Amino acid sequence: MAKRSLVDEFEVKDNRVKIKDISDYEVFSDKDLLDNLRSKIIQNLIDENIPDDKLLKEYIDEEINKATLGYDLDYLQRNYIFNLILNEINGYGPITEMLEDDSITEIMVNGPNSIYVEVDGKVEKDDGVSFINDKHIIRTIQRIVQPLGRTIDAANPMVDARLRDGSRLNAIIPPLSLRGPVLTIRKFAKNLDTIDDLLLKGTLTNDMAVFLSSCVRAKLNIIISGGTGAGKTTLLNVLSSFIGSDERIITIEDAAELRLHQEHVISLETRLTNYEGEGEVTIRDLVRNSLRMRPDRIIVGEVRGKEAFDMMQAMNTGHEGSITTLHSNSPVDAINRLETMIMMNEMEIPVSAIRGYIENAIDIVVQIDRMGDGKRKVSSISEVNGIRDGRVNISEIFGFRENGLTDEGDVVGEFIVSDNIPYVYDKIKRKGITSVDYIFERQG
């Protein structure tokens, strides 16, 4: 074999070494050098027992020496290959460093050379990381989900799981995905935002923060509405922090993301079917069960189906101060979605009765949106205040109005307060809470 240098195959960008183009780099029986190294070493590790990290590193070093014999590798290139293989064995392949980077909140793998990350609310393509091929992506997914007792293959081409650190993983492969394997990981925030953090980021105003904290302490029933990635769970975490430490709180989620600091918290999580297609436990099952657990508060991570009816039942039968989120684009849309989800139960309940049910159950709808510049804003805080013309009536108390964009693409706008004193103000006062008096007394 002719001696060939790898120098032209690498480039350095943002202190990362990346292979420029290895699609036609044929060595070792027409396999790519790196793909061959990874496959060969990992298979050998399966066949042999490597007792500790030191011997493991020595073993990888020896395999690199044998596999790259006849190639001129400098220190940077050799170190890159070494770390790449170590990440394959001890980590999660090319995305290992992304999972460890706290500034990255979401990882989206659309293909071997199409990897996107979300940083500070903005999605951008990361050209410094790549997989070798589709098989490499699938192998990485399998490595991630295998310790969780899950699998992904042609018979089970879709998996949704929670990683050990709380991050949420979703993967889908052919034949369901027509473009090849797709992997999405929403990372678990190590440092939770507080209300002060949201204030500093301009997500809401001080008056809005005082009002929302008063609503929680007054045990009003609250829905947090927003689109994908808008920050619904973050806001839910923040609002939950205002619940009294002496209350028994039941949290219900598909994948546990809520982290409440109160002592009396019971966390429940759904379960998917097993290999026999049995054993599923849904949000609805857990909501129903929670009613028998003597809750002071019920917090549901997200309602999106028949469980909406059970949630409304809980709110209407003395379980005050419940909080949940749902996916919608406006407060009005949130109420309409609730109606639709309750109708999914296929019970013979008139629409007028369903709307009355919602009107009695819900006090506040909080809309949070991700703006065009990637920043989150609480764009509306509205109250449900009766039925008008046969429909649930919603009145805005606080809002955010966009006025345009700066030259840098930042959203320009202002928060506004309604001139009308909301009906829920009386509910808050009846609980002996006076922290919002200054807001609405100046309105009067």
Side-chain angles (χ1 to χ4, degrees), residues 243-297:
I243 297 175
S245 59
D246 59 337
E247 298 186 63
R248 178 174 170 85
I249 308 167
I250 310 291
T251 69
I252 300 169
E253 301 173 85
D254 274 332
E257 289 185 288
L258 295 173
R259 282 179 285 176
L260 277 63
H261 299 294
Q262 293 88 339
E263 184 176 348
H264 204 167
V265 177
I266 308 297
S267 300
L268 306 179
E269 188 177 63
T270 60
R271 185 177 69 188
L272 298 175
T273 55
N274 58 21
Y275 293 112
E276 289 78 32
E278 302 173 343
E280 181 183 23
V281 179
T282 66
I283 289 281
R284 186 175 198 185
D285 296 328
L286 295 178
V287 169
R288 287 177 168 180
N289 188 75
S290 70
L291 300 178
R292 297 187 284 269
M293 297 174 69
R294 199 224 168 268
D296 289 314
R297 306 266 190 160

Side-chain angles (χ1 to χ4, degrees), residues 167-182:
S167 299
R168 292 186 350 202
L169 174 146
N170 179 273
I172 185 166
I173 64 174
L176 299 184
S177 173
L178 301 183
R179 63 174 297 164
V182 176

Side-chain angles (χ1 to χ4, degrees), residues 95-109:
I95 62 172
T96 300
E97 292 183 7
M98 289 180 169
L99 287 167
E100 295 170 352
D101 188 341
D102 292 340
S103 68
I104 295 176
T105 54
E106 194 141 7
I107 302 167
M108 293 152 276
V109 179

